[in-house]
DNA sequence: AAGCCCTACCCTACAAAACC
DNA sequence: GGTTTTGTAGGGTAGGGCTT
């Protein structure tokens, strides 16, 4: 029996529409309980319990593995490089905080709905507090540098006056001692350096050569000076760095973020990859099974790190107290929510800034002052412009699951964030699916008349009916109607074995089929369609006889 | 094999728009 | 003006594909 392969395509691409909802695998009661638990306060408790009983083990396992890898990676880096990276990271973070403050305090956010995103003092205070924290972090990095540089054997060097003469001096004829012009008061054998220092690379008169440590320290200070307009020099000890900030009263540092988070490996900064040990001076806890403490801010201004895996995700510790509602809400998911809202505020600022020009006719400045503080921190709302939505719909009608390139092009074309475009498609797919399901059920009883009354056949037609309401296949309507009954049986057999929604697979199949068909026929899509129709009709005629009693 | 990325599917929150 | 609907977004779980 011949069944045209395109028939499989016709059904398989919309297999998704026929699937049972996920909860069909749960009992109804479980599902109800589960869905009711979600999104409520009690649901958070529920998730907490759930995690305790179900999730903790695998998560910890994962976390441990991740930590292992990171640790292994970190061990390859020397202390100086790590301190340098940490400082770079801290500077970057400071820049971000400063940008946020600048963005919020700018005059640009006074358009439509803008009163909602006007920063309250708490926000600014929190950001400034973060900056203070980073400054202290830099101070601590330099402190660590100082303490490390006093640890001579780390670098396999020949220290003047120490009596620890390196044996390599005899081993290599061209192995002079070179003095570092930095503050470490150290001397090195050329061959002891890594990489070994060639004689040609030594500056004339041995002046201006710095060991790796001093070079790093210099770079750190230069970066800080360049960024903050400070004048720290190599002669400054760590106590001189951000002396004023460190001298602030304890409560000034602790008032807003008593347990403020420390940037972690997962913080998104590739330059930063902190090593737990480097904070040993301020470490408050050490490698336990589940988490590695990098230390915290200590009262003397030393800085440590947060939970290893959780920098950002560390529960309930990154938000100022004013945001911390309850212990429950600080745990896990809600934490994530809050963080996301924070970042969302920032991204929305950009969007609103762009729409500012358009919406500048509304003056709400006078209203701002009258609004209660809680109203001012309400989530800002962005609407995709109507024209953009129309364009998105057009693309959606052609392809529900556009490729990344298509989405990026769209985002450029429409001036929208690519995430917004993705989100729009995500929602559109979900809504379309819901609509299709609803409509499919409605249409079940008004199907094509004159078809055999066979339970299996009726089932198939129900499914086909759903297919007909799927966007993007309207052009296949007539093809579907002409598919032979027996072919449909076969199609549905294959379909029922399938998964719920595999649009991705389906679209792949679709493109494969298109290619195959075009290759086979060697003509355009219209011709291909006509050929498909012809084949369907032929098959239908062939198999009508099969079904007849 | 594990990790990462992306997606589906679902629920929910919230603000704007539409409706009564 | 109050209520309902719509649109955008956050977030959770699960699974597949690809890379390392």
């Amino acid at each position: 029996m011949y069944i045209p392969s395109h028939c499989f395509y016709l059904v398989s691409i919309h297999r998704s529409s026929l699937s049972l909802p996920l909860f069909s695998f749960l009992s109804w009661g479980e599902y109800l309980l589960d869905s009711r638990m979600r999104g409520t306060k009690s649901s958070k408790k529920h998730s907490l319990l759930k995690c305790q009983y179900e999730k903790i083990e695998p998560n910890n396992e994962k976390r441990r593995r991740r930590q292992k890898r990171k640790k292994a990676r970190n061990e390859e880096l020397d202390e100086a490089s790590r301190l340098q990276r940490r400082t770079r990271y801290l500077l970057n973070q400071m820049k971000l905080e400063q940008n946020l403050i600048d963005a919020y305090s700018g005059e640009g956010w006074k358009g439509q709905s803008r009163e909602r995103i006007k920063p309250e003092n708490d926000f600014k205070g929190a950001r400034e507090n973060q900056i203070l924290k980073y400054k202290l972090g830099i101070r601590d990095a330099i402190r660590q540098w100082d303490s490390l540089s006093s640890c001579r054997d780390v670098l396999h060097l020949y220290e003047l006056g120490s009596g620890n003469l390196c044996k390599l001096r005899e081993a290599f004829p061209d192995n002079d001692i070179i003095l570092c012009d930095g503050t470490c008061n150290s001397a090195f054998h050329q061959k002891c350096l890594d990489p070994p220092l060639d004689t040609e690379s030594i500056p004339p008169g041995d002046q201006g050569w710095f060991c790796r440590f001093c070079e790093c320290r210099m770079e750190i200070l230069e970066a800080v000076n360049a960024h903050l307009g400070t004048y720290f020099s190599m002669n400054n000890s760590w106590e001189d760095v951000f002396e004023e900030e460190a001298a602030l009263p304890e409560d000034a540092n602790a008032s807003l973020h008593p347990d403020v988070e420390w940037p972690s490996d997962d913080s998104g900064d590739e330059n930063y990859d902190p090593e737990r040990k480097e904070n040993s001076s301020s470490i408050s806890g050490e490698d336990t099974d589940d988490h590695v403490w990098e230390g915290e801010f200590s009262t003397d201004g030393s800085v440590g790190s947060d939970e290893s895996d959780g920098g950002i995700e560390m529960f309930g510790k990154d938000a100022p107290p004013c945001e911390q509602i309850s212990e429950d809400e600080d745990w896990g998911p809600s934490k994530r929510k809050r963080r996301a809202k924070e970042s969302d505020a920032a991204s929305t600022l950009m969007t609103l800034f762009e729409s500012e020009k358009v919406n500048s006719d509304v003056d709400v400045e006078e209203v701002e002052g009258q609004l209660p503080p809680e109203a001012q921190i309400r989530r800002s709302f962005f609407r995709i412009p109507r024209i953009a939505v129309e364009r998105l719909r057009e693309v959606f009608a052609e392809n529900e699951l556009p490729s990344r390139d298509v989405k990026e092009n769209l985002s450029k074309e429409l001036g929208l964030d690519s995430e917004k475009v993705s989100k729009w498609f995500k929602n559109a797919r979900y809504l379309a699916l819901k609509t299709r399901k609803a409509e499919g059920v409605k249409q079940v009883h008004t199907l094509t008349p004159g078809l055999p009354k066979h339970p299996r056949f009726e089932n198939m037609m129900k499914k086909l009916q759903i297919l007909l309401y799927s966007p993007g296949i309207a052009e296949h309507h007539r093809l579907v109607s002409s598919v032979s009954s027996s072919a449909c049986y076969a199609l549905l057999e294959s379909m029922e074995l399938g998964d719920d929604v595999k649009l991705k697979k389906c679209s792949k199949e679709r493109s494969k089929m298109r290619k195959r068909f075009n290759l086979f026929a060697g003509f355009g899509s219209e011709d291909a369609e006509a050929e498909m129709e012809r084949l369907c009709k032929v098959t239908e005629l062939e198999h009508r006889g099969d079904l007849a009693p």
Side-chain angles (χ1 to χ4, degrees):
Chain A
M1 183 174 75
Y2 168 71
I3 299 165
S5 51
H6 59 267
C7 294
F8 284 96
Y9 154 63
L10 282 175
V11 177
S12 65
I13 59 169
H14 293 289
R15 229 164 32 181
S16 61
S17 311
L18 315 176
S19 60
L20 287 169
L22 203 66
F23 57 72
S24 60
F25 298 107
L26 299 168
S27 73
W28 187 239
E30 279 171 336
Y31 171 72
L32 284 179
L33 178 67
D34 185 53
S35 59
R36 281 180 191 163
M37 290 295 271
R38 272 182 249 160
T40 61
K41 269 196 173 181
S42 60
S43 78
K44 280 156 192 158
K45 282 182 184 168
H46 171 71
S47 345
L48 174 57
L49 289 172
K50 212 173 154 188
C51 286
Q52 281 171 343
Y53 290 111
E54 297 171 21
K55 304 288 180 192
I56 290 288
E57 204 47 50
N59 279 351
N60 285 343
E61 204 51 52
K62 267 189 180 179
R63 187 183 298 176
R64 267 198 292 273
R65 276 199 294 268
R66 216 179 301 162
Q67 283 168 4
K68 238 183 194 174
R69 278 200 311 278
K70 279 173 186 168
K71 209 172 176 182
R73 212 166 52 211
N74 285 344
E75 276 166 5
E76 293 162 12
L77 301 166
D78 63 82
E79 299 287 323
S81 309
R82 262 187 280 107
L83 285 175
Q84 196 180 7
R85 289 175 65 196
R86 159 178 274 193
T87 315
R88 213 180 294 151
Y89 170 82
L90 291 169
L91 279 170
N92 276 341
Q93 293 301 109
M94 280 172 72
K95 272 183 203 167
L96 286 174
E97 295 293 343
Q98 192 55 54
N99 286 347
L100 260 181
I101 292 175
D102 292 346
Y104 268 108
S105 55
E107 288 296 307
W109 317 116
K110 292 180 182 170
Q112 198 176 35
S113 301
R114 47 207 164 180
E115 76 281 3
R116 298 193 179 94
I117 55 164
K118 188 180 165 77
E120 62 274 64
N121 290 333
D122 283 359
F123 173 84
K124 200 181 172 193
R127 301 320 349 148
E128 282 170 350
N129 209 53
Q130 287 289 103
I131 291 179
L132 173 63
K133 187 188 77 175
Y134 293 129
K135 282 182 179 173
L136 294 176
I138 291 169
R139 178 184 159 93
D140 187 64
I142 294 170
R143 182 187 59 75
Q144 286 180 45
W145 184 94
D146 285 354
S147 63
L148 282 170
S149 68
S150 63
C151 211
R152 299 298 186 222
D153 21 351
V154 171
L155 286 179
H156 182 81
L157 60 99
Y158 174 89
E159 190 179 354
L160 286 179
S162 71
N164 296 326
L165 296 178
C166 177
K167 304 288 178 204
L168 278 178
R169 186 166 194 182
E170 287 84 21
F172 298 96
D174 221 7
N175 192 20
D176 282 343
I177 292 171
I178 182 163
L179 289 167
C180 172
D181 274 4
T183 54
C184 65
N185 294 324
S186 303
F188 301 83
H189 278 132
Q190 282 177 253
K191 306 289 180 194
C192 293
L193 292 163
D194 183 22
L197 183 67
D198 297 333
T199 313
E200 301 88 59
S201 310
I202 299 171
D206 280 11
Q207 292 301 307
W209 181 85
F210 295 97
C211 70
R212 203 166 160 193
F213 250 47
C214 288
E215 217 171 56
C216 284
R217 190 182 200 262
M218 213 155 56
E219 278 179 33
I220 289 171
L221 292 175
E222 275 173 7
V224 171
N225 289 341
H227 179 63
L228 300 170
T230 49
Y231 298 97
F232 301 127
S233 72
M234 282 297 278
N235 297 325
N236 285 118
S237 72
W238 70 271
E239 286 103 331
D240 302 329
V241 178
F242 299 123
E243 199 177 357
E244 287 174 21
E245 284 81 353
L248 285 173
E250 268 178 44
D251 56 338
N253 294 345
S255 61
L256 285 171
H257 298 272
D259 297 308
V260 75
E261 78 176 79
W262 187 248
S264 80
D265 299 16
D266 295 338
S267 56
D269 187 292
E270 289 179 1
N271 293 330
Y272 181 65
D273 198 4
E275 160 66 47
R276 279 79 180 132
K277 284 175 192 166
E278 74 192 20
N279 277 330
S280 55
S281 61
S282 54
I283 273 174
S284 59
E286 193 56 65
D287 274 17
T288 66
D289 261 358
D290 292 335
H291 46 260
V292 184
W293 287 94
E294 293 185 3
E296 295 175 8
F297 262 104
S298 59
T299 49
D300 63 357
S302 63
V303 179
S305 300
D306 217 321
E307 194 177 16
S308 64
D309 199 35
I312 285 177
E313 292 194 354
M314 184 171 177
F315 304 138
K317 294 207 172 179
D318 71 337
C322 59
E323 286 179 20
Q324 294 182 8
I325 300 158
S326 75
E327 244 182 62
D328 275 346
E329 297 205 340
D330 275 343
W331 194 89
S334 60
K335 172 69 183 64
R336 182 172 162 182
K337 204 168 187 171
R338 192 166 50 228
R339 175 164 40 91
K341 278 190 176 177
E342 223 174 274
S343 66
D344 182 49
S347 69
T348 314
L349 282 176
M350 296 314 293
T351 316
L352 288 175
F353 179 66
E354 280 159 15
S355 62
E356 175 70 15
K357 294 157 201 159
V358 183
N359 297 321
S360 57
D361 52 328
V362 188
D363 188 8
V364 289
E365 228 171 327
E366 8 179 286
V367 190
E368 279 172 3
Q370 300 164 15
L371 285 169
E374 59 269 24
Q376 293 183 19
I377 56 169
R378 269 187 299 166
R379 189 174 91 186
S380 55
F381 199 77
F382 165 76
R383 261 192 200 283
I384 299 175
R386 188 171 294 178
I387 301 169
V389 172
E390 277 168 17
R391 175 82 184 106
L392 288 168
R393 280 187 185 140
E394 271 175 32
V395 178
F396 185 78
E398 288 166 18
N399 185 3
E400 284 192 14
L401 195 66
S403 67
R404 197 189 296 175
D405 288 344
V406 172
K407 281 189 276 190
E408 275 173 11
N409 286 341
L410 264 176
S411 71
K412 276 179 198 164
E413 180 188 332
L414 303 173
L416 295 171
D417 192 11
S418 60
E419 281 178 11
K420 282 192 170 31
V421 173
S422 292
K423 186 71 187 179
W424 187 90
F425 274 98
K426 182 184 166 184
N427 281 332
R429 278 191 297 269
Y430 179 54
L431 291 174
L433 182 64
K434 263 167 72 171
T435 312
R436 263 175 260 151
K437 276 180 185 170
E439 288 186 351
V441 171
K442 274 186 204 166
Q443 300 288 334
V444 164
H445 302 292
T446 59
L447 281 170
T448 323
L451 288 169
K453 293 273 178 190
H454 187 289
R456 218 176 155 200
F457 192 86
E458 282 180 2
N459 185 35
M460 174 197 75
M461 288 312 294
K462 276 181 201 172
K463 293 179 178 180
L464 280 178
Q465 183 68 21
I466 296 169
L467 294 185
L468 300 184
Y469 284 86
S470 305
I473 62 156
E475 69 275 17
H476 297 307
H477 189 156
R478 53 201 171 85
L479 290 177
V480 174
S481 63
S482 63
V483 170
S484 77
S485 310
S486 54
C488 284
Y489 282 151
L491 296 177
L492 291 169
E493 285 288 355
S494 70
M495 195 167 53
E496 280 163 357
L497 289 172
D499 218 324
D500 262 10
V501 178
K502 296 286 181 285
L503 272 173
K504 206 175 177 180
K505 268 188 185 172
C506 293
S507 56
K508 273 184 189 172
E509 265 178 56
R510 182 168 44 188
S511 55
K512 266 188 204 168
M513 285 301 303
R514 275 182 186 150
K515 272 183 197 168
R516 200 183 305 169
F517 204 80
N518 286 338
L519 279 174
F520 159 73
F523 39 45
S525 59
E526 282 177 16
D527 295 331
E529 205 169 278
E531 179 63 11
M532 278 173 81
E533 190 172 6
R534 191 186 65 80
L535 284 169
C536 285
K537 278 180 181 168
V538 169
T539 335
E540 187 180 14
L541 288 173
E542 276 175 11
H543 297 293
R544 251 182 200 160
D546 297 349
L547 281 176

